[in-house]
Amino acid sequence: MITVQDLYNIVGNKIANEAQKSIIRYDLPPQTAEQMCNAIDHHEAADLFQRFLTEWIEAQQRQQQAIQSFLQLYYNR
């Protein structure tokens, strides 16, 4: 389950990534900077997708456990 700390980490990473992209844009030629910034954006999106997928899998496992518990109680009376 995503906690408040996880949300703080997501926001903190977003701020850090934006700062890093600003430095890259300032220091490097536009084409190189654009490629590096795109890589940072794609990495961030992949990280968020992985978090979402992990949450979804955990929710599916909890649901399956609840169904199994219900069926066990219902049929073992």
Side-chain angles (χ1 to χ4, degrees):
M1 178 178 283
I2 291 181
T3 64
V4 173
Q5 184 62 46
D6 291 331
L7 294 175
Y8 283 131
N9 291 342
I10 290 169
V11 171
N13 288 340
K14 180 69 173 174
I15 293 168
N17 287 343
E18 292 302 319
Q20 185 178 17
K21 290 188 319 188
S22 293
I23 293 168
I24 289 169
R25 287 186 182 111
Y26 180 78
D27 287 341
L28 297 174
Q31 186 177 10
T32 305
E34 189 65 26
Q35 290 176 347
M36 291 181 73
C37 289
N38 285 341
I40 291 170
D41 288 340
H42 288 109
H43 184 268
E44 184 178 353
D47 185 43
L48 291 174
F49 180 75
Q50 184 178 10
R51 286 178 187 264
F52 166 75
L53 186 59
T54 300
E55 281 290 313
W56 184 78
I57 289 170
E58 289 173 1
Q60 293 297 312
Q61 290 171 342
R62 286 191 301 272
Q63 182 180 29
Q64 184 64 32
Q65 288 172 350
I67 291 169
Q68 287 175 346
S69 294
F70 171 77
L71 291 174
Q72 188 175 22
L73 287 172
Y74 183 77
Y75 286 111
N76 288 337
R77 287 186 173 192

